[in-house]
Amino acid sequence: MLLQLAAERIAPHLPEAGVEIAEWLEYPPKPEMGDVSLPCFVLAKRLKRSPQSIAAETAGKLNEADGGIRAEAAGGYLNLRFEPSVWSARLLRRIADDKFGQPDWGKGRTVVIDMSSPNIAKPFGVGHLRSTVIGNALGNLYRAAGYRVIRVNHLGDWGTQFGKLIAAYKRWGNDEALAAEPIRESLRLYVKFHDESERSPKLADEGREWFRRLEAGDDEARRLWDTFVRASMKEFDRVYERLGIRFDHVLGESFYNDKIGAVVERLAEQSLLEESDGAQVVRLAEEGLPPCLILKSDGATIYPARDLATAIYRKETMGADMLLYVVGAEQTLHFKQVFAVLARMGCTWSEACRHVPFGLMRMNGKKMSTRRGQVVFLEEVLDEAVARAERMIADKNPELPNRKEVAEVIGVGAVVFGDLKHRRMLEIDFNLDEAISFDGETGPYLQYTFARASSLLRKGRDDVPDRADNIDGVHLSSPEAWMCVKMLCGYEEALAEALRDDEPSVMARYLLDLAKAFNRFYHAERIVADSRSERRAKLTLVSLAARKLQSGMALLGLRTPERM
């Protein structure tokens, strides 16, 4: 907001610039340098003048106009300072408007987000957290920007791994163990199959045969497959419930089985399929990519063919204008191939398909592997986070009436934010001790800041204006109050940047900066002051800070208890 306001003031004095001034504006690295800065170096060549002269002349014109903004030239920079006593109240009125933070940038457009996508009969491990919470946050961010959002959980419920699992079950499994602990028993069988197959290669053939029977509709294979699917979904849904995540569609890979044939026919009709060692591929040399395998030598389909059918279904049936795939970075080549094949098929909308990759998550320095049985169950991590949160609440506020409910909110939020505060392409070494702390850059820190603001609002509830009208900005002139106002102004900019880069961590970092600014204001000022005019102004700032902290955390999937 400040950048746009500054641009509106500067533009009339630089009509010959021929550019959108807002594009060049930036925030100075230190508050004492001003509130907004225009580097005039970018304009010097265009205007055929030195940056110093552009800055000095424009500063003079702005100061003549006044308007509560002072300008100064510093070398080739034009620095602007907004007068807090004039602008604080004006800015808070804009921030209080219901439309602020709810832009309509995506009005009339639909985005389909492929997210979470755990594998049936395998644990919902910590490694699945990233796709789940990044995808959920992106869905919330796009919806806040006016898009119609469709969240799809693309379950891994098909493939040769099910043949292996069935083969293992027929050899070493039993119904009682599977019914008692379906995921742990499935994991035990899966790990045992891989251990045994290293000593007995014939087991791999047995697994392939069972998958062939599954694809052919064999009753026993289908019965066991269906058992694995139903048991897994029961486990998964419990985790999603705790994370507060809902899907518009839960569709496994098997859903697209009857749609793959049409894709293969279309590729053949367009002469895109070529034989390679008995398999059928689409060559992508012109795109600088290796061939994309569509049919194996035995005629069986493979997941690129399934993903082609999936993309076409999401475009034609779900009405997607954009397709996002929140999938690990190790699948980058796969998605490049799939999108390239779609383009070869004449699907011009393939340009609207985006892979949103993310880095690996480790747990205390260890990489997780389902095949080796090295899995940390996400639900166990959530349980431990909640238990620690409850112990901390017991120490700090033993009289809190709904301690268990608040501990659940804090513990789960700590795990979610512990992921989302990192840029998604970074590898994360998740540390629960750090994530659950009430100090530092954590979810509990944000939630505690919101609870602190809520406490102030309860104390002064009769003095909070509904629309931030008729408040005196002179009471918000301190450096701490003004910094908090400026941070609130940046909410929409953070939303825009997060969407531009498909990067929820931008909103996470913004919320941390807002919380820090609010806490400095809280410690520096007497907020529930004796003067009603001062009290109303300061509580208005508290109210709007709380509102933006709450809405920003909701975008990331964190809930906000009012008491902690």
Side-chain angles (χ1 to χ4, degrees), residues 95-246:
I95 294 164
D97 191 300
D98 291 338
K99 294 181 180 178
F100 181 77
Q102 295 287 330
D104 61 356
W105 303 328
K107 185 177 181 180
R109 290 173 57 77
T110 296
V111 56
V112 173
I113 301 182
D114 182 317
M115 54 177 280
S116 193
S117 308
N119 291 316
I120 293 296
K122 293 183 181 180
F124 198 118
V126 171
H128 293 100
L129 179 69
R130 305 218 68 195
S131 174
T132 305
V133 299
I134 292 172
N136 186 57
L138 286 175
N140 294 335
L141 290 163
Y142 274 94
R143 180 166 287 136
Y147 289 82
R148 172 176 173 251
V149 175
I150 299 175
R151 291 174 170 86
V152 180
N153 194 355
H154 187 68
L155 297 171
D157 70 347
W158 206 250
T160 55
Q161 70 268 26
F162 287 95
K164 297 174 183 178
L165 185 57
I166 293 170
Y169 179 81
K170 298 300 284 186
R171 279 176 172 257
W172 308 296
N174 64 78
D175 287 344
E176 291 77 15
L178 189 64
E181 290 191 302
I183 301 298
R184 291 184 187 278
E185 176 64 6
S186 298
L187 176 61
R188 183 187 73 81
L189 293 171
Y190 188 73
V191 172
K192 186 173 180 62
F193 180 91
H194 281 280
D195 287 344
E196 294 293 331
S197 63
E198 291 179 1
R199 293 188 287 271
S200 178
K202 289 184 178 180
L203 268 178
D205 294 333
E206 195 173 318
R208 281 190 287 270
E209 173 58 18
W210 271 109
F211 183 58
R212 186 198 65 76
R213 291 172 63 175
L214 179 61
E215 286 193 305
D218 177 85
D219 288 342
E220 177 65 0
R222 295 287 296 190
R223 180 187 74 81
L224 289 170
W225 174 81
D226 187 61
T227 299
F228 295 135
V229 171
R230 285 186 288 105
S232 295
M233 286 310 304
K234 185 177 180 179
E235 299 278 324
F236 295 164
D237 286 344
R238 187 169 61 245
V239 176
Y240 291 134
E241 182 69 27
R242 294 185 72 178
L243 293 171
I245 290 174
R246 302 285 185 274

Side-chain angles (χ1 to χ4, degrees), residues 45 177 200 220 303 314 338 375 408 494 534 547 553 557:
K45 186 175 181 180
S200 178
E220 177 65 0
Y303 59 93
R314 290 173 181 171
V338 169
V375 177
E408 176 75 12
E534 182 178 353
R547 191 187 304 179
M553 280 190 274

Side-chain angles (χ1 to χ4, degrees), residues 20 29 72 83 90 107 113 120 225 253 270 289 294 318 324 353 363 374 380 382 404 465 522:
E20 179 60 48
E72 63 181 28
E83 173 51 51
R90 294 183 189 177
K107 185 177 181 180
I113 301 182
I120 293 296
W225 174 81
E253 293 179 42
Q270 294 177 307
L289 298 170
I294 304 297
M318 294 183 180
L324 302 186
C353 297
M363 191 74 175
Q374 297 168 343
E380 291 180 351
L382 296 178
K404 288 188 178 296
Y522 172 86

